[in-house]
Amino acid sequence: MTTSVRQARPSQPTLEMVAEVAGVSRATVSRVVNGSTKVSPEIVTSVTKAINELNYVPNRAARSLASRQTEAVALVVPEDMTRFFGDPYFAAVVQGITRRLDQSDYTLNLLVASSDPRHKTLRYLRSGNVDGALIISHHTGDDFVAELETTMPVVFGGRPSNADDLDAFFVDVDNAAGAETGTQRLIDIGRRRIGSISGAVDMPAGIDRLTGFRRTLERAGLPADAVELADFTAAGGAAATRRLLERCPDIDGLFVASDLMATGAVAVLREYGRSVPEDVAMVGFDDSPAAVSGPVPLTTVSQPSEEMGFAMADILLRRLAGDESMPHRTLMPTRLVLRESA
């Protein structure tokens, strides 16, 4: 009697099958699947084509067990929920981050926490739940940042206050130079009593934008005392504008450190019977949807928020793949967008 032996075929396409179709090694396929940047574009195209032809689905659980990687990264936002969901800046950054992560196998865990007295966020991050972290909108008092940097790869959106001590990787714009551009616009159109609604001074962006504002006025020989501090929210911008008008009712120009705060400033100026730009010309910062959502379209200093998010995620993925060749500091350009307010 003749016994027929049929060789079992894998029920699912394997990494080895993809490698055979693509004409590369198994290790090369693994690098492509894991998002490594150390593979040529031609090889990536060949492997991707083979993956699509075979309908290969990477075994996330097996890879995670083998490599002790979770294939997840965290986006940590040390703010309250109201600010995170109310500020269009965050939406743009997250869009850029997800656009880059969509090109990899990594998923995004969002952690929004303005205060963490029991250190739950830090414990979660240090317990092996994610491979790396992206941190945006951090404040001087966010002590967990320094601890986190010692346990996993981290990339910051915005220069951290202790960047030199941490030797940190971050993506930012030159906030001081951007503020100088915005303030100079007000001087160039003839405004001489110029005030500012500053961002939070426990954040480098707030400090740097205030520095740029003051430096420009001092260079022009103009007073730089008409400043009120706020917190990058519309309500904070409105409250600061009221205080400023009570103290300096003669202002004819206003540099506001974010478009969202500027919407609050415009509303208060209207309450006081001051029109924009006729009585008070105004320049914002961000070029977010808030700049065109109010009664007066804002002239503003544009920063590429979505591209900053993309770059943050790209740098983190490259670090996770073992590539440490990127510069620690990535600065993106700002530009002045002229609209009706100045």
Side-chain angles (χ1 to χ4, degrees):
M1 183 175 66
T2 302
T3 302
S4 175
V5 179
R6 179 177 297 174
Q7 186 175 3
R9 296 184 62 186
S11 58
Q12 296 291 337
T14 65
L15 207 65
E16 289 77 6
M17 294 169 64
V18 173
E20 183 178 354
V21 171
V24 299
S25 69
R26 183 186 187 281
T28 298
V29 175
S30 179
R31 283 194 289 271
V32 172
V33 167
N34 284 288
S36 172
T37 58
K38 297 182 177 180
V39 185
S40 70
E42 294 79 10
I43 295 296
V44 171
T45 300
S46 178
V47 171
T48 302
K49 182 180 178 182
I51 287 172
N52 293 335
E53 286 179 1
L54 296 172
N55 291 319
Y56 170 72
V57 178
N59 188 331
R60 179 183 297 272
R63 290 210 315 276
S64 180
L65 287 172
S67 65
R68 298 188 180 274
Q69 291 182 333
T70 65
E71 292 189 335
V73 298
L75 173 60
V76 183
V77 188
E79 296 287 355
D80 59 53
M81 285 288 186
T82 302
R83 173 149 189 243
F84 177 75
F85 287 105
D87 192 333
Y89 163 77
F90 294 116
V93 172
V94 172
Q95 186 171 352
I97 291 170
T98 55
R99 185 159 57 87
R100 177 62 184 91
L101 292 182
D102 284 346
Q103 301 172 9
S104 74
D105 283 333
Y106 280 87
T107 58
L108 184 67
N109 292 352
L110 176 62
L111 302 173
V112 182
S114 59
S115 62
D116 191 11
R118 298 177 62 189
H119 305 292
K120 290 187 295 182
T121 300
L122 184 59
R123 286 204 309 273
Y124 174 82
L125 293 170
R126 297 175 68 178
S127 297
N129 293 294
V130 297
D131 298 329
L134 303 162
I135 303 178
I136 58 174
S137 198
H138 38 282
H139 300 253
T140 302
D142 296 328
D143 296 331
F144 75 92
V145 168
E147 296 184 53
L148 187 60
E149 180 72 7
T150 65
T151 62
M152 67 178 61
V154 173
V155 178
F156 294 89
R159 173 178 59 85
S161 56
N162 52 348
D164 293 332
D165 294 337
L166 292 177
D167 198 23
F169 286 85
F170 67 85
V171 178
D172 204 353
V173 296
D174 189 333
N175 286 287
E180 290 184 25
T181 299
T183 306
Q184 188 62 49
R185 168 63 181 176
L186 295 169
I187 295 173
D188 290 344
I189 61 174
R191 306 304 162 118
R192 291 296 178 266
R193 185 60 170 133
I194 302 171
S196 179
I197 305 302
S198 166
V201 292
D202 64 345
M203 302 177 70
I207 296 170
D208 292 348
R209 292 175 196 179
L210 180 56
T211 297
F213 165 79
R214 284 178 166 155
R215 191 158 57 202
T216 306
L217 291 185
E218 289 166 1
R219 190 165 54 232
L222 298 174
D225 61 306
V227 174
E228 288 292 336
L229 305 182
D231 58 359
F232 287 120
T233 68
T241 304
R242 288 191 181 92
R243 295 194 302 271
L244 183 60
L245 289 175
E246 291 296 326
R247 188 165 61 85
C248 305
D250 58 334
I251 61 168
D252 60 2
L254 192 58
F255 171 70
V256 188
S258 81
D259 294 337
L260 196 59
M261 290 196 300
T263 63
V266 169
V268 169
L269 286 168
R270 288 163 66 96
E271 288 177 16
Y272 278 70
R274 311 288 294 276
S275 63
V276 177
E278 290 80 6
D279 297 322
V280 180
M282 186 180 299
V283 174
F285 202 113
D286 285 335
D287 196 23
S288 71
V292 292
S293 65
V296 182
L298 290 174
T299 290
T300 184
V301 178
S302 175
Q303 62 173 345
S305 302
E306 182 175 337
E307 294 308 313
M308 291 167 69
F310 186 96
M312 289 170 58
D314 184 64
I315 292 169
L316 182 59
L317 291 180
R318 291 171 63 180
R319 293 190 68 191
L320 291 172
D323 181 3
E324 294 287 338
S325 65
M326 310 80 64
H328 283 234
R329 305 178 180 210
T330 301
L331 288 181
M332 294 192 159
T334 60
R335 63 187 179 90
L336 187 66
V337 178
L338 298 178
R339 297 194 181 98
E340 295 178 19
S341 68

